[in-house]
Amino acid sequence: MTLLEELKNAIINVEPKKAEETTHLLLNQGVGAADILNQALIPGMDEVGRLFKEGEYYVPEVLVAAKAMNATLNLIEPLLIQGDVPRRGKIVIGTVEGDLHDIGKNLVSMMWKGAGYTIVDLGVDVTPERFVEAVRQEKPDYLAISALLTSTMLHIPAVIQALQAAGLRDDVKVLVGGAPLSQPFANEIGADGYAADATDAVSLVRRIDLEETGT
Ligand code: B1M
């Protein structure tokens, strides 16, 4: 079994210590962050999701697997944000009210940091009022909202409405993402952009920056 397979299995078998040790070994061998993410962490977490859906795993197992994944992401973060990239705009990000999923949000944040953006992370279960307050205080170029549940994605329009009510809607581009979302949903709620994954999220802000400022 390769080390990448061992890491994937450590996530699936809910072994945080093994996951961290294996990641250290992979990094020492010079394996790239993209391979660690795409060949081990994301497929591992997908399998955990499948086991959960089929009733083989319960919330506690999924929670420990998520802790293992977040700890491992922290180890590879320096690789994702290394290099001499130009400083770019500011992005406020948070997971929408009622939703506690943060792995995807953290990954998207890391990739944006790697592309030169300053990130203000509001965490999970963020109310519309908190999003509005952060936009008022931080004056970001983008507000990114993550949702992982079909129920909580329906709370995103309330954030956009709260921005409108506060007179801040035209000051910030609203971007949305998360597994149950789609481009048609983003269009329907009046968001300025949708990204399917972390790589797409980087392309999205670079495309909007280019359209808006030419840089
Ligand atoms: Co939850 N959960 N969970 N869970 N969980 C899902 C999402 C689920 C699909 C599992 C399943 O049934 N197969 C299901 C949702 C079903 C639905 O609504 N359609 C589900 C459920 C039901 C629940 C609970 C209700 C379970 C319960 O209590 N009975 C509960 C809800 C709690 C709450 O939020 N209020 C719950 C709880 C949890 C844990 C707390 C145990 C844990 C989260 C811990 C944490 O995040 N710290 C958890 C986990 C880990 C999962 C799964 C297994 C993995 C999610 C994940 O991290 N994926 C998930 C099943 C699955 O996805 N296969 C599941 C890896 C991550 C890299 O991908 O998050 O999709 P993802 O992020 C991607 C893209 O979506 C996108 O880019 C990211 C990187 O590529 N993206 C953005 C995300 N945010 C973006 C923002 C952007 C752009 C792109 O801004 C522009």
Side-chain angles (χ1 to χ4, degrees):
M1 196 188 301
T2 67
L3 273 181
L4 283 167
E5 284 164 347
E6 278 187 38
L7 176 56
K8 180 177 156 190
N9 285 343
I11 299 287
I12 297 171
N13 299 329
V14 195
E15 297 173 300
K17 216 172 152 50
K18 175 104 194 276
E20 284 189 51
E21 285 165 5
T22 314
T23 305
H24 279 298
L25 290 173
L26 284 162
L27 292 174
N28 287 341
Q29 287 188 2
V31 176
D35 287 342
I36 294 178
L37 264 176
N38 297 327
Q39 292 182 43
L41 296 181
I42 292 181
M45 197 43 109
D46 278 347
E47 180 61 8
V48 170
R50 192 189 65 77
L51 291 165
F52 177 60
K53 198 172 177 184
E54 291 184 357
E56 283 192 47
Y57 276 8
Y58 295 94
V59 169
E61 281 99 342
V62 182
L63 203 49
V64 180
K67 278 192 181 144
M69 177 134 178
N70 267 332
T72 312
L73 278 180
N74 286 337
L75 292 178
I76 63 169
E77 181 171 14
L79 283 188
L80 292 174
I81 62 180
Q82 75 187 359
D84 212 7
V85 288
R87 302 308 312 157
R88 302 194 195 276
K90 189 191 267 191
I91 304 177
V92 167
I93 188 167
T95 302
V96 76
E97 184 169 21
D99 198 322
L100 303 176
H101 296 84
D102 68 356
I103 297 174
K105 167 187 71 63
N106 296 344
L107 185 52
V108 169
S109 300
M110 280 176 202
M111 296 289 274
W112 275 335
K113 274 191 216 168
Y117 292 86
T118 301
I119 301 297
V120 179
D121 187 349
L122 304 180
V124 297
D125 191 17
V126 182
T127 61
E129 296 73 27
R130 176 86 186 85
F131 276 119
V132 167
E133 194 48 35
V135 169
R136 202 190 309 278
Q137 280 181 3
E138 300 289 343
K139 300 185 176 24
D141 304 280
Y142 298 97
L143 175 65
I145 309 171
S146 176
L148 259 291
L149 299 173
T150 40
S151 53
T152 57
M153 67 190 252
L154 303 177
H155 297 163
I156 299 178
V159 181
I160 297 179
Q161 283 152 18
L163 283 172
Q164 259 151 3
L168 294 168
R169 179 64 187 93
D170 294 336
D171 296 355
V172 69
K173 296 257 180 276
V174 177
L175 312 179
V176 297
L181 277 67
S182 63
Q183 185 65 59
F185 175 77
N187 296 343
E188 191 186 312
I189 64 170
D192 299 300
Y194 158 76
D197 57 30
T199 312
D200 200 21
V202 173
S203 313
L204 175 67
V205 290
R206 293 302 303 124
R207 196 168 60 240
I208 297 177
D209 278 0
L210 268 176
E211 281 164 13
E212 295 282 314
T213 65
T215 59

